[in-house]
Amino acid sequence: MLKRHYVPRSDGELMYSSPPTIRSYLPMFLNLGVYIITFVLWMYLDSAYYGFGSKIITPLTGAMWIVGAIFALLLPSQREEIIKHTKWFILGYVGILFLYRYVIIAVSGVSADNLTAAFNQAIASSSATAVVGWLQNLLWIISITYPIAYFIFQAKKIPQFFGTRSKQRATREIRDIRNNTKPY
């Protein structure tokens, strides 16, 4: 039988608490697991994509972490939301690039002869190389525009936090509405 006890929060107040269980720690372990997976994928992509990883993926991933941290400090009322979005955006970014690497590997082995046999139709030999070139361009687009979209998403929160109207103007408008409202 679990022993339950009361923990006072102040002199005159009692609070009921139960001993910690694995269920109470599970969200923390899952959250830690997400961060560990993100970090492992990030380091894997840095080495798997060679120069592209160290010159494009790693700096942009680091920039997303830094922007998330700065915005979480600057906007305290949205801190939890920013941290959550940063975590999931970066996991999505490295996850997409991780899967995309294997898509490129799978497609790069396809030749024009394979496509001809698959479609039972003559395919130009340049088609196979065009697909690989298209995938390479798509890699550039994904690896650069995804972090830019994250930066824009976070920057959009600045006007929401500071507001577009001054406090005095908003208060004046509220008083005008209150004073000019008819009682009937």
Side-chain angles (χ1 to χ4, degrees):
M1 182 80 184
L2 294 173
K3 182 180 176 185
R4 298 175 193 262
H5 57 281
Y6 292 99
V7 178
R9 289 193 304 190
S10 66
D11 291 338
E13 185 177 352
L14 294 177
M15 183 180 135
Y16 181 75
S17 74
S18 58
T21 62
I22 189 70
R23 193 170 271 214
S24 63
Y25 289 117
L26 190 60
M28 287 187 289
F29 290 137
L30 292 175
N31 202 15
L32 180 65
V34 167
Y35 283 112
I36 289 171
I37 290 169
T38 302
F39 183 75
V40 168
L41 282 174
W42 181 15
M43 292 299 107
Y44 171 76
L45 292 174
D46 181 57
S47 64
Y49 278 107
Y50 301 106
F52 187 81
S54 62
K55 291 185 174 121
I56 302 292
I57 296 171
T58 296
L60 288 174
T61 306
M64 285 195 291
W65 281 117
I66 291 168
V67 166
I70 289 171
F71 276 77
L73 290 173
L74 289 177
L75 311 173
S77 65
Q78 298 179 10
R79 183 169 292 147
E80 288 182 27
E81 180 183 347
I82 290 170
I83 291 170
K84 184 175 75 170
H85 287 155
T86 301
K87 173 179 69 173
W88 291 113
F89 259 87
I90 294 173
L91 180 62
Y93 180 62
V94 295
I96 288 169
L97 291 175
F98 176 77
L99 292 175
Y100 196 73
R101 182 176 192 284
Y102 291 100
V103 168
I104 291 175
I105 289 170
V107 171
S108 66
V110 176
S111 66
D113 295 334
N114 296 67
L115 292 174
T116 300
F119 295 129
N120 197 18
Q121 182 177 348
I123 303 286
S125 61
S126 61
S127 295
T129 56
V131 169
V132 174
W134 181 77
L135 288 173
Q136 180 184 3
N137 288 338
L138 193 59
L139 174 65
W140 276 98
I141 292 168
I142 290 171
S143 62
I144 292 173
T145 58
Y146 193 100
I148 290 172
Y150 171 77
F151 299 145
I152 292 169
F153 177 70
Q154 293 301 335
K156 215 173 63 170
K157 293 180 181 182
I158 292 174
Q160 291 173 349
F161 180 74
F162 292 109
T164 55
R165 299 186 302 175
S166 68
K167 185 177 179 180
Q168 288 108 3
R169 180 178 170 194
T171 306
R172 191 172 349 120
E173 288 178 7
I174 290 170
R175 283 186 185 146
D176 288 344
I177 291 170
R178 195 178 332 141
N179 293 339
N180 294 329
T181 304
K182 305 235 186 276
Y184 49 86

